[in-house]
Amino acid sequence: MVRRIPAATLVTAIAASVMTLLLAISPVLADSDLQESWCCGLGIGKHHLVDTQSKPGVRCEKFQSDASNPKWWVMDVLSVRAPKVFGTTDDQTVGWRFIVLRQKAAFSGEPQWPVKVTYRSPIQTDIAQLETAAAFHSMAVPVDTPDNGRSYDYWVRVKMFWYLPDGKVQGWSLHQADFYREVLAGTSNGVYSECFSEHATT
C-alpha cells in the first residue's frame, strides 16, 4: 500500500506550523510527511523527525574562514539529526537514512533548474520498542558544491524503515526536514528553510 500526502494537506500543515511559531506557542514537530508504504496489513510505527525552530533537523556547516575568503559561503558538511522511530511490536529492527537534494539557482531569464539527488547515506539500524524509540545517532556527509560561480540550495529527506523478522522491509516513511541551521565560522548564522552554498567569484 502506498499513501501519497495531498499537496493541500502539506500546505495546511506547513501554514499551521508557521502560525504556531509566530504565536510563540510551545514548539511542534514540523517535518513534512511526504510518502509512506507498508505490506501485510502491519502498518508502520510511530515516528517523527527532530526538526523544530529551536532544534533544526539539519546543520549546515560552512568553511571556517573570514568573509574575504572565496570559500566563505561554501558549505563544508551537512549534519542530520536522527529521527525518532518506534516499533510496531517490541524488539523490532528499524532503520533510517538521509537523502541530499540540490538545486542550482537560476539566473534571470533561465528556466528553473531540476532538483537532483546528490547523496544517499547508508541505512543505520537499531532495535525499537512500542513505546521506546531506537537509539539512533546523527549522521553527516561532506558537501562538494560545484565551483562555477553559481549558488545552490540543498534540502534533506529522511527515510525510516521497519523490518520483518526475516529482514525484509515491512514498511517505510519518507519525510523532509523543514528547518536548517546555518553555521559560519563556528557561530550560528540563523535558521532557514534550506541550506545555501556558493563559491564567491571575487
Side-chain angles (χ1 to χ4, degrees):
M1 174 187 293
V2 174
R3 179 170 68 88
R4 292 187 180 275
I5 310 300
T9 302
L10 288 178
V11 170
T12 301
I14 293 170
S17 297
V18 171
M19 183 61 69
T20 300
L21 291 170
L22 291 175
L23 294 175
I25 299 174
S26 58
V28 296
L29 305 179
D31 56 289
S32 297
D33 185 354
L34 301 180
Q35 192 175 0
E36 295 176 344
S37 175
W38 59 85
C39 76
C40 321
L42 298 175
I44 54 179
K46 296 183 296 183
H47 60 282
H48 66 266
L49 305 192
V50 179
D51 181 44
T52 65
Q53 180 75 24
S54 60
K55 290 186 176 181
V58 181
R59 182 181 174 96
C60 316
E61 296 275 359
K62 302 296 180 72
F63 276 96
Q64 298 190 20
S65 179
D66 62 83
S68 65
N69 189 305
K71 289 188 174 181
W72 175 247
W73 293 107
V74 181
M75 189 157 53
D76 188 21
V77 174
L78 273 175
S79 178
V80 183
R81 288 183 186 271
K84 298 295 184 181
V85 182
F86 297 79
T88 57
T89 63
D90 283 333
D91 300 319
Q92 182 176 23
T93 298
V94 296
W96 79 285
R97 79 181 330 164
F98 71 92
I99 302 159
V100 178
L101 299 95
R102 183 178 74 196
Q103 184 178 41
K104 180 164 63 176
F107 287 149
S108 177
E110 286 184 338
Q112 188 76 284
W113 289 89
V115 176
K116 295 184 177 181
V117 172
T118 60
Y119 179 75
R120 288 183 173 87
S121 76
I123 297 175
Q124 183 184 144
T125 60
D126 194 48
I127 302 299
Q129 314 298 325
L130 271 169
E131 300 300 330
T132 304
F136 289 140
H137 57 79
S138 64
M139 294 193 283
V141 63
V143 178
D144 184 19
T145 301
D147 186 1
N148 56 13
R150 305 295 290 258
S151 60
Y152 291 81
D153 290 327
Y154 291 79
W155 296 269
V156 168
R157 291 180 176 176
V158 172
K159 193 169 186 178
M160 293 158 275
F161 302 88
W162 289 259
Y163 295 94
L164 297 167
D166 63 4
K168 294 180 180 177
V169 174
Q170 171 183 314
W172 54 264
S173 182
L174 181 67
H175 289 223
Q176 182 158 299
D178 291 338
F179 294 106
Y180 299 74
R181 183 178 301 284
E182 182 179 80
V183 178
L184 277 169
T187 302
S188 176
N189 193 50
V191 177
Y192 303 93
S193 58
E194 72 283 315
C195 287
F196 168 81
S197 184
E198 178 183 25
H199 282 267
T201 56
T202 57

